[in-house]
Amino acid sequence: FALAAAETADGDRDGIPVALMEAMACGTPVVSTRAGAIAELVESCGILVAPGDPLAFSRALDSLRNDSLRAELGSRGRARVAAEFRSSESGGRVMALARAQTAGAPFARVSRTMVATPSAASRSRSTAAKSGAQ
């Protein structure tokens, strides 16, 4: 998988692209640039080159013609994503946020185990304020 990310003149850049994570999770070797937080994800699990260096990017892609390198990087990438990005943990936090928001909570604080939502009293004040505004 190849992703040639770069920082724009105004400083806009990728964080950790989900597409890179998905490729690594599938055991696909990745080639990318040292832009944003990409290096934190890829580290020794893929090949990184400087942004704006198409020759280096091309050489990195060409190096993946080596079967053993391709297999090794694919295996390392899959192991890294499996170890550090568990869907059971992140999925639980996302679901907790969604439940809090659909319950009418204007803000939710998420921890590994719970979501703090507004108390019943604050929810009734909010309901009263909404009905009084109509």
Side-chain angles (χ1 to χ4, degrees):
F1 180 82
L3 178 67
E7 187 172 333
T8 63
D10 65 354
D12 189 25
R13 63 180 178 239
D14 285 313
I16 296 179
V18 174
L20 273 176
M21 230 184 296
E22 290 172 341
M24 291 169 68
C26 292
T28 302
V30 298
V31 173
S32 192
T33 51
R34 289 181 188 93
I38 292 171
E40 295 174 34
L41 172 67
V42 176
E43 289 184 45
S44 63
C45 303
I47 301 172
L48 292 167
V49 299
D53 189 346
L55 183 57
F57 202 84
S58 174
R59 288 182 179 148
L61 288 171
D62 191 52
S63 73
L64 291 179
R65 292 172 47 184
N66 178 308
D67 292 338
S68 61
L69 176 62
R70 198 170 56 247
E72 177 65 24
L73 293 177
S75 177
R76 283 191 218 164
R78 184 179 182 129
R80 179 174 179 95
V81 171
E84 296 188 26
F85 299 95
R86 290 186 178 92
S87 62
S88 60
E89 289 180 21
S90 59
R93 290 190 298 261
V94 169
M95 289 304 296
L97 276 171
R99 281 193 294 275
Q101 294 306 311
T102 58
F107 301 100
R109 182 174 43 108
V110 177
S111 71
R112 288 186 175 266
T113 57
M114 65 172 273
V115 173
T117 58
S119 66
S122 67
R123 281 194 301 271
S124 63
R125 283 193 301 268
S126 175
T127 303
K130 285 180 186 173
S131 63
Q134 291 176 352

